[in-house]
């Protein structure tokens, strides 16, 4: 294990290409549909404040992140309303955990599935006054 910790501190390197692809479709003058997907990456490392050497190294995290939705403008652009759905499939999900004030570590969950939806709106009530609102729902499972 100490060899693994030593390699993480001085020898470990991560190199990833993180492509993104998306498409927008202007349905009409007021509504735009969109979809986007990306391959994301967070490097692994070591938990510098963990007292137990078994909790020191953690692996890289990778994820496919996908979202799709609608963006709209109404009332000559004074009202916007957007609806987005998302799905994230994550491998080696990095979970941060504090055991005590000085004992802190990052662990890897084997995988995570995160999905949900968001709605946001804004309306210009006056030239100097906007009303904003949003609501979201997220489901996550490790």
């Amino acid at each position: 294990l100490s060899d693994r910790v030593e390699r993480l501190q001085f020898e470990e390197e991560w190199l990833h290409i993180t492509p993104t692809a998306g498409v927008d479709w202007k349905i009409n003058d007021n509504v735009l549909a969109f979809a986007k997907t990306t391959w994301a990456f967070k490097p692994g490392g070591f938990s510098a404040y963990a007292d137990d050497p078994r909790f020191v190294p953690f692996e890289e995290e990778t994820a496919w992140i996908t979202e799709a939705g609608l963006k709209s403008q109404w009332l000559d652009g004074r009202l916007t309303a957007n609806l987005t759905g998302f799905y994230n499939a994550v491998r080696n999900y990095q979970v941060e955990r504090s055991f005590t004030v000085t004992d802190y570590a990052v662990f890897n969950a084997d995988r995570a599935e995160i999905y949900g939806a968001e709605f946001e709106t804004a309306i210009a009530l006056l030239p100097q006054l906007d009303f904003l609102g949003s609501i979201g729902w997220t489901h996550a499972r490790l």
Side-chain angles (χ1 to χ4, degrees):
L1 181 63
S2 65
D3 179 50
R4 173 76 174 127
V5 172
E6 211 170 288
R7 281 191 317 108
L8 272 172
Q9 290 176 354
F10 301 109
E11 297 175 18
E12 199 77 30
E13 292 184 21
W14 289 273
L15 174 64
H16 280 267
I17 295 173
T18 54
T20 298
V23 62
D24 291 344
W25 175 40
K26 191 171 184 180
I27 296 172
N28 59 40
D29 288 340
N30 298 333
V31 180
L32 174 81
F34 69 94
K36 181 172 119 176
T37 189
T38 189
W39 175 251
F41 160 77
K42 282 173 58 178
F46 65 98
S47 300
Y49 299 106
D51 291 336
D52 188 331
R54 293 176 300 153
F55 301 146
V56 172
F58 59 93
E59 299 296 325
E60 68 186 22
E61 174 185 301
T62 57
W64 272 113
I65 299 171
T66 304
E67 66 177 357
L70 298 170
K71 296 181 179 186
S72 64
Q73 288 190 340
W74 309 94
L75 303 174
D76 295 323
R78 289 185 18 242
L79 172 67
T80 61
N82 304 324
L83 179 64
T84 303
F86 61 90
Y87 178 81
N88 304 336
V90 186
R91 298 206 51 142
N92 288 328
Y93 186 76
Q94 294 173 1
V95 179
E96 300 173 5
R97 181 148 185 211
S98 177
F99 298 106
T100 66
V101 176
T102 59
D103 195 10
Y104 173 86
V106 177
F107 297 92
N108 291 101
D110 184 40
R111 65 185 79 197
E113 180 182 55
I114 306 162
Y115 56 87
E118 301 169 340
F119 175 76
E120 62 183 354
T121 187
I123 186 165
L125 299 174
L126 300 169
Q128 308 84 1
L129 179 64
D130 292 344
F131 176 77
L132 310 168
S134 64
I135 189 167
W137 170 78
T138 302
H139 179 267
R141 180 181 4 194
L142 300 180

